[in-house]
Amino acid sequence: MRIERIEVRRVGLPLLRPFETSFGRTTRKEFLLVSVSAAGVTGYGECVADTDPFYLPETLGTAHHVLKDFLAPMAFALEIAHPRDLAGALSAVRGHEMAKAALEMALWELHARREGLPLYRVLGGRGGTIAAGVSIGLQDDVPALLERVEAEVAAGYRRIKIKIKPGKDRELVAAVRARFPELPLMADANSAYTLDDAPLFEELDRYGLMMVEQPLGWDDVVDHAALQRRIRTPICLDESIRSARDARQALNLGACGVVNLKPGRVGGFRESLAIHDLCRFRGVPLWCGGMLESGIGRLANVHLQTLPGFTLPGDTSASARYFAEDLVDPPVTVSKAGLIAVPEKPGIGHEILWRRVEQATSFREEWRRA
Ligand code: OSB
Ligand code: MG
């Protein structure tokens, strides 16, 4: 099979509520939607690169450039027997995992549609439901945070993650823990601290957090290993793991006890499957992260986390927490029991609302095989 056409659109959706982390505040989700066509079928992938390089180095602009000038030509030149063939061919490009992932995930989605199968089937997952967790951004004050946590617990979510940053850490964790003594709770720092802050994390040990996510440098595992030796709470790595090799080395160094897997962050599904298999084989708890995706990327995450190695609820929550109107019909919903139904129709399994995609598109470009 040869890829015949690749389309990218820049899509923008206002967020219902601003989302704030230690690295910034977002009020609008802007992303590239990648469509790949071959053999009369089109598949879709959502690029998770942000407009700015504050989470990881890639941006929407770099993803567009690398897709257009390097990845698309390489993909057009390749005879593809299976979507797993693509990642190896793209590995000549160093880094740019989010750009690679958008293309590779679109190809897996195309493959699933072509086979008439839900995406989870071609990935090796199962049907049914997945457990949903939420990520709550930094709020203006403690009462506002408690109100958000209360609402999400009432909505049925099985695990709550709160964001922390220097100056907004111990009192947030203490307040949520005091109000919800038994809640499966964790905190994500998005690389806001250094090893000098180890005493803070020693202090947080007393709150029985499930884990503390990415406390130190985005490109560091060595200091995380040093911190992990000083605290009982497992460290979960997000930003630092951009490949299966990163995951293996982090585990070998003792830099983490839990892994957050975002397929967009690691170059796509093939690398995700390698990380999944590694964690499963080694008995390391694994969960699927989120990047405030529209329904298209959100559903890809739903399918991925039906694989057996995903042992903890992830950051995949309902469309209605983010958007007044999602781009898929039906939107992603969460039951009172905190579960998301895994779609059974081909590909991502929910209809894409092209009228809405069109309205949200500010830029569109397509490339064809020469
Ligand atoms: O660190 O997991 C993160 C959102 C954007 C960038 C990084 C992160 C996040 C989240 C939100 O925590 C997860 C979601 O609700 O999609
Ligand atoms: Mg994170």
Side-chain angles (χ1 to χ4, degrees):
M1 185 185 82
R2 292 266 185 177
I3 296 176
E4 285 139 24
R5 177 178 169 274
I6 297 171
E7 181 198 75
V8 296
R9 286 168 182 268
R10 180 176 173 146
V11 179
L13 293 174
L15 289 175
L16 282 175
R17 278 188 287 269
F19 188 78
E20 188 174 334
T21 68
S22 63
F23 61 80
R25 188 180 165 93
T26 320
T27 55
R28 209 178 146 74
K29 174 67 187 176
E30 289 275 342
F31 65 96
L32 290 180
L33 176 59
V34 176
S35 308
V36 172
S37 304
V41 183
T42 302
Y44 305 95
E46 179 168 336
C47 183
V48 299
D50 286 322
T51 51
D52 49 53
F54 303 150
Y55 164 71
L56 281 174
E58 286 184 88
T59 68
L60 195 149
T62 69
H64 174 261
H65 160 55
V66 170
L67 279 161
K68 177 176 182 161
D69 295 336
F70 300 100
L71 303 178
M74 286 172 166
F76 285 135
L78 193 68
E79 172 58 40
I80 297 168
H82 188 276
R84 79 171 70 86
D85 299 345
L86 183 61
L90 302 183
S91 68
V93 170
R94 296 180 179 174
H96 299 285
E97 291 82 7
M98 294 172 178
K100 290 173 180 169
L103 187 61
E104 197 245 23
M105 292 165 74
L107 186 66
W108 280 90
E109 215 267 339
L110 179 158
H111 174 62
R113 286 180 191 258
R114 202 162 166 237
E115 299 287 316
L117 296 171
L119 185 56
Y120 75 78
R121 283 279 303 274
V122 301
L123 293 173
R126 48 142 187 93
T129 58
I130 59 156
V134 282
S135 174
I136 300 177
L138 287 158
Q139 306 293 314
D140 289 340
D141 50 36
V142 170
L145 175 63
L146 288 175
E147 196 177 301
R148 296 278 349 125
V149 174
E150 210 149 313
E152 306 298 8
V153 169
Y157 288 101
R158 304 262 178 128
R159 181 228 65 182
I160 304 285
K161 163 168 137 183
I162 64 170
K163 294 287 189 178
I164 56 171
K165 71 172 185 182
K168 282 192 147 189
D169 38 43
R170 44 172 81 69
E171 82 276 25
L172 304 189
V173 172
V176 176
R177 185 44 94 212
R179 173 74 187 72
F180 299 95
E182 305 293 330
L183 180 66
L185 178 67
M186 58 177 288
D188 186 359
N190 288 108
S191 298
Y193 298 88
T194 71
L195 206 46
D196 293 340
D197 299 302
L200 166 74
F201 294 97
E202 288 168 348
E203 224 184 285
L204 292 184
D205 260 347
R206 77 172 70 121
Y207 298 105
L209 297 177
M210 300 168 77
M211 68 196 85
V212 53
E213 183 175 342
Q214 196 70 36
L216 310 182
W218 64 275
D219 56 350
D220 168 83
V221 291
V222 174
D223 281 358
H224 278 107
L227 179 63
Q228 186 68 91
R229 284 193 289 274
R230 293 179 57 169
I231 64 176
R232 270 196 322 276
T233 308
I235 291 174
C236 170
L237 291 178
D238 173 353
E239 284 90 328
S240 302
I241 294 180
R242 292 183 303 277
S243 65
R245 186 187 66 179
D246 287 347
R248 172 174 56 77
Q249 292 178 340
L251 292 169
N252 287 349
L253 279 171
C256 66
V258 184
V259 172
N260 166 332
L261 176 53
K262 297 176 182 174
R265 197 193 62 225
V266 303
F269 282 138
R270 192 185 79 161
E271 201 68 15
S272 296
L273 296 177
I275 293 172
H276 168 272
D277 294 351
L278 172 82
C279 290
R280 191 171 184 222
F281 182 71
R282 296 176 64 141
V284 174
L286 175 72
W287 56 276
C288 183
M291 290 292 288
L292 316 177
E293 289 95 339
S294 84
I296 298 168
R298 189 170 300 278
L299 285 166
N301 290 339
V302 169
H303 287 275
L304 176 64
Q305 60 200 293
T306 68
L307 274 82
F310 288 90
T311 54
L312 293 171
D315 276 348
T316 309
S317 54
S319 301
R321 291 188 63 249
Y322 306 84
F323 311 111
E325 291 188 315
D326 202 344
L327 304 177
V328 297
D329 182 47
V332 176
T333 57
V334 172
S335 74
K336 280 284 169 212
L339 301 173
I340 296 174
V342 181
E344 284 297 333
K345 296 203 179 113
I348 57 171
H350 290 195
E351 197 192 326
I352 296 176
L353 295 169
W354 286 106
R355 186 183 48 80
R356 270 187 211 157
V357 172
E358 206 59 68
Q359 284 166 353
T361 298
S362 58
F363 167 91
R364 194 189 76 84
E365 194 170 22
E366 67 176 56
W367 313 306
R368 287 177 185 273
R369 182 158 58 91

